[in-house]
Amino acid sequence: MIKKQMVAMLLAGGQGSRLGVLTDKNAKPAVAFGGKYRIIDFPLSNCINSGVDTVGVLTQYQPLRLNTHIGIGMPWDLDQTIGGVTVLPPYENHAGTSEWYTGTANAIYQNLGYINQYHPDYVLILSGDHVYKMDYEVMLDFHKKKGADVTLAVMPVPKEEAHRFGIVIADDEAKISAFEEKPANPSSNLASMGIYIFNWETLKNALIKLQDQPSCDFGKHVIPYLHENGSPMYAYRFEGYWKDVGTLGSYWEANMELIDLVPEFNLYEDFWQIYTESDTIPPAYVSADSNVTTSIISDGTEIFGDVHHSVIGGGVTIGKGSIVRDSIIMRDVTIGEGCVIDHAVIAEGSTIGSNVVMGCGADAVNQNYPDIYSFGLVTIGEDSVIPDNVQIGKNTAIAGETDETDYPSGLLAGGGTLIKSKGGL
């Protein structure tokens, strides 16, 4: 019998619609972060650093790049004969029917067989779209010490943002007395981080009991069900850096925080390394005429212009006379000569022509998707093409191969959206 103390289940199938065109072709956990990483690298690295060597990754939306990135788990030392990492997409069952994962808990229910084969004492539930470093072994020790059936990782958030989270109320012993899922008027600002440890038998019984619940979800259904039925439930306070990069603003901000003089989230320490799949590419090249300040420059990049306070991915080319400021440029992007790129997020494989200006003009509200394309950013989707000599305003989004005819008078005004790829927001 295979026996594991704890199995981790990493939920990585989310569309991430609040990231707009950045998730046109990718699940949110596969989006690039910090130049060389992808968002899913953080929970995977946390697992192996915490001694958790059995991880099921549940995929669904646009999984190709995510699956390719994970591979057999070698970068995270998860390429193991027993355990390791296993990608778990939805599948056809014995009755000949298939069912998409309809909720976070439903996804785990559909993979009870995977977990059962390891006969774990505990199951760790993780999200694949948060940026943080956490020792899950310390959280497990807390769970055991308290005699908990369920432990939720929590941290305080600004009161005005508390409505976006599951909110817990706990006593001085950390025992949870109430749980509110995204309440309109939160009773506290102690937010669930979407990281749970369950006693396996407790979780399994709850999932079987709730199997007919439509879109069964941990925050909406499983946690309230267990609380109402008297399962001992505790709040583990996390005091480190943690960020949900689910909006363009939080995603841009988290990247920019990496290049602070003393970054709050440190990727350079040896103690708790973040691992990733690395390409074999040449080192970065910065020409003698260039000026680069307070930026992350990844391998394979060639810079012939100026880069200031930006995160530049691998294999990027920035042409002569171009200026990039306060921007995120993902892998294999080509920027022509004489461009000014200001407060932009440019996804992988895009080609920007020469003499292009991004981030100009007034801070207009996006006309089609004001809740997504805001924060004063220009957002360019993967493999997009921007022709020469165009100007692009703030709070704009472009996806697909565009040409001169798409820009009346050579301009996409602030608040405009130009989507020529399939499925873009």
Side-chain angles (χ1 to χ4, degrees), residues 130-411:
H130 298 154
V131 174
Y132 65 110
K133 296 179 181 180
M134 181 187 228
D135 190 338
Y136 304 133
E137 188 172 15
V138 175
M139 182 177 172
L140 179 60
D141 289 342
F142 172 91
H143 178 87
K144 294 176 181 177
K145 181 179 179 180
K146 292 295 184 180
D149 278 354
V150 189
T151 296
L152 285 65
V154 300
M155 68 183 304
V157 298
K159 196 65 181 282
E160 60 272 15
E161 295 183 17
H163 67 279
R164 295 176 46 224
F165 299 91
I167 296 299
V168 305
I169 299 171
D171 61 23
D172 292 341
E173 299 298 319
K175 189 170 186 179
I176 295 173
S177 58
F179 181 87
E180 305 169 344
E181 177 65 9
K182 297 181 180 178
N185 298 297
S187 301
S188 82
N189 68 333
L190 200 58
S192 169
M193 299 164 62
I195 300 169
Y196 315 112
I197 292 178
F198 290 89
N199 291 350
W200 171 227
E201 291 300 320
T202 298
L203 176 59
K204 180 168 61 175
N205 292 337
L207 292 174
I208 292 171
K209 183 72 175 181
L210 297 170
Q211 63 180 290
D212 295 325
Q213 172 67 50
S215 302
C216 191
D217 180 84
F218 281 105
K220 293 178 182 178
H221 305 113
V222 176
I223 300 297
Y225 168 80
L226 290 174
H227 186 262
E228 290 168 7
N229 283 273
S231 290
M233 191 174 297
Y234 285 82
Y236 171 74
R237 282 183 176 257
F238 179 67
E239 298 180 353
Y241 180 98
W242 176 84
K243 183 153 283 190
D244 179 350
V245 290
T247 66
L248 284 170
S250 62
Y251 173 77
W252 178 85
E253 183 181 68
N255 274 272
M256 294 300 105
E257 287 173 347
L258 298 176
I259 49 180
D260 289 342
L261 184 60
V262 181
E264 184 179 356
F265 187 58
N266 190 347
L267 292 176
Y268 305 101
E269 59 190 5
D270 293 330
F271 166 66
W272 198 270
Q273 294 187 9
I274 303 300
Y275 304 98
T276 190
E277 187 273 329
S278 296
D279 298 323
T280 304
I281 53 179
Y285 171 77
V286 179
S287 75
D289 298 328
S290 299
N291 181 19
V292 178
T293 60
T294 55
S295 296
I296 292 174
I297 309 296
S298 300
D299 286 349
T301 287
E302 298 181 354
I303 300 175
F304 301 93
D306 295 351
V307 178
H308 305 290
H309 201 256
S310 295
V311 175
I312 311 297
V316 170
T317 300
I318 298 174
K320 187 175 181 180
S322 289
I323 301 171
V324 177
R325 290 189 294 255
D326 298 311
S327 295
I328 303 167
I329 313 297
M330 298 186 197
R331 304 176 186 192
D332 301 320
V333 168
T334 299
I335 297 173
E337 298 184 351
C339 297
V340 177
I341 311 294
D342 197 359
H343 283 78
V345 181
I346 303 179
E348 301 177 40
S350 294
T351 300
I352 313 301
S354 295
N355 304 309
V356 172
V357 178
M358 292 187 186
C360 57
D363 196 359
V365 174
N366 188 273
Q367 299 168 10
N368 297 316
Y369 306 100
D371 295 335
I372 296 176
Y373 302 114
S374 53
F375 315 102
L377 296 169
V378 177
T379 308
I380 310 295
E382 186 173 324
D383 298 323
S384 295
V385 175
I386 312 297
D388 298 344
N389 304 311
V390 300
Q391 296 187 350
I392 302 167
K394 300 174 182 177
N395 298 323
T396 50
I398 299 173
E401 296 186 15
T402 67
D403 57 39
E404 297 84 357
T405 62
D406 295 310
Y407 302 85
S409 302
L411 172 69

